[in-house]
Amino acid sequence: METETLAMAQEIDFSLIALFARATVTVKVVMIMLIVMSFWSWATIVQKHIMYRLARREAEVFDRAFWSGEPLDELFEKIGPTPDGSSEKIFAAGMLEWRRSHRQDGALIAGAQARIDRAMNVAISRESERLNNGLSFLATTGATAPFIGLFGTVWGIKHAFEQIAISQNTNLAVVAPGIAEALLATGIGLVAAIPAVVFYNKLNADSERILGGYESFADEFATILSRQLDA
């Protein structure tokens, strides 16, 4: 009996494609959903990695130009009022408000410092939204993918037990395929969730460091303008 059961089990195809093909429609939908979530997560991870690397490089280049001793007005004329770089946008927001705070006679309009700070904070908020856009999907995938996969597993095991009841046979050849198909859903859920959680934490930390650099620059720039206001 055991020899016959083993022979029947060996004849069953347990490849991933075969397990997917034999799964019920509900479990297939769950697997496809998890695969799409996994691909989307990896696309977000790669896109954010490239974006953050470019943002760090742009910040380094701009910092060298800003602290080179070149007059701020000349630097502003070079980059223009609508630059592409994030650090440059924050600088341009402060400089635009600085220039708008001067009357035609050269005197400053009251409250210039507060307006300059708000203008740069708005620019930082926009860059924060751009940097963090998409990270919420990684967090959602990391939190929900295991449970979505578990739902597929529960549904698959339910179907396997139904097949056992119909066939009235509990040997390995009958039980193993259904259980394997069901567990595949949980496996795909973990494959989708684990990278999403790991890279969400890393990318979120990278984003915070980049934004911290922007805030530090804004504070230093505001201090420089404050000295000129006091003078």
Side-chain angles (χ1 to χ4, degrees):
M1 185 66 177
E2 292 181 0
T3 303
E4 293 178 0
T5 302
L6 182 59
M8 292 176 61
Q10 289 176 343
E11 293 176 358
I12 300 172
D13 187 357
F14 284 96
S15 66
L16 296 180
I17 296 176
L19 290 175
F20 175 82
R22 287 197 301 264
T24 64
V25 174
T26 302
V27 178
K28 285 180 180 177
V29 170
V30 169
M31 291 181 184
I32 292 172
M33 183 187 302
L34 291 171
I35 291 171
V36 170
M37 292 173 68
S38 180
F39 275 108
W40 193 351
S41 295
W42 279 108
T44 301
I45 290 166
V46 172
Q47 187 260 342
K48 290 299 176 185
H49 177 73
I50 295 172
M51 177 189 290
Y52 292 173
R53 184 175 61 182
L54 292 175
R56 286 191 291 266
R57 185 180 302 170
E58 180 271 331
E60 291 174 359
V61 171
F62 178 76
D63 281 347
R64 285 196 295 269
F66 182 81
W67 297 108
S68 65
E70 181 180 6
L72 297 182
D73 287 328
E74 293 182 10
L75 179 60
F76 180 64
E77 292 297 333
K78 284 184 179 179
I79 67 174
T82 57
D84 296 326
S86 298
S87 298
E88 294 174 345
K89 289 179 181 177
I90 298 168
F91 170 73
M95 285 299 296
L96 279 172
E97 190 57 43
W98 164 260
R99 291 189 171 185
R100 290 169 182 166
S101 295
H102 286 80
R103 293 199 296 263
Q104 293 183 351
D105 59 0
L108 279 169
I109 302 172
Q113 184 68 55
R115 288 192 302 274
I116 292 169
D117 291 341
R118 282 198 298 269
M120 289 192 292
N121 287 335
V122 169
I124 292 173
S125 297
R126 289 173 180 166
E127 294 307 307
S128 175
E129 183 177 354
R130 187 179 69 88
L131 289 174
N132 292 323
N133 184 33
L135 293 185
S136 59
F137 178 78
L138 294 181
T140 301
T141 299
T144 61
F147 297 102
I148 295 173
L150 183 59
F151 168 77
T153 296
V154 171
W155 192 272
I157 291 175
K158 166 184 168 295
H159 181 261
F161 278 114
E162 289 173 353
Q163 293 300 111
I164 292 171
I166 293 171
S167 63
Q168 296 183 352
N169 189 345
T170 59
N171 65 40
L172 181 62
V174 175
V175 177
I179 300 298
E181 294 156 17
L183 292 176
L184 179 60
T186 295
I188 297 175
L190 293 175
V191 168
I194 292 173
V197 171
V198 171
F199 281 99
Y200 169 78
N201 292 329
K202 180 186 183 303
L203 293 173
N204 187 61
D206 290 345
S207 175
E208 292 296 329
R209 281 194 291 270
I210 293 171
L211 291 173
Y214 293 158
E215 291 172 356
S216 296
F217 164 74
D219 290 340
E220 292 170 345
F221 184 36
T223 300
I224 294 173
L225 294 180
S226 177
R227 294 194 194 100
Q228 296 190 26
L229 288 171
D230 292 340

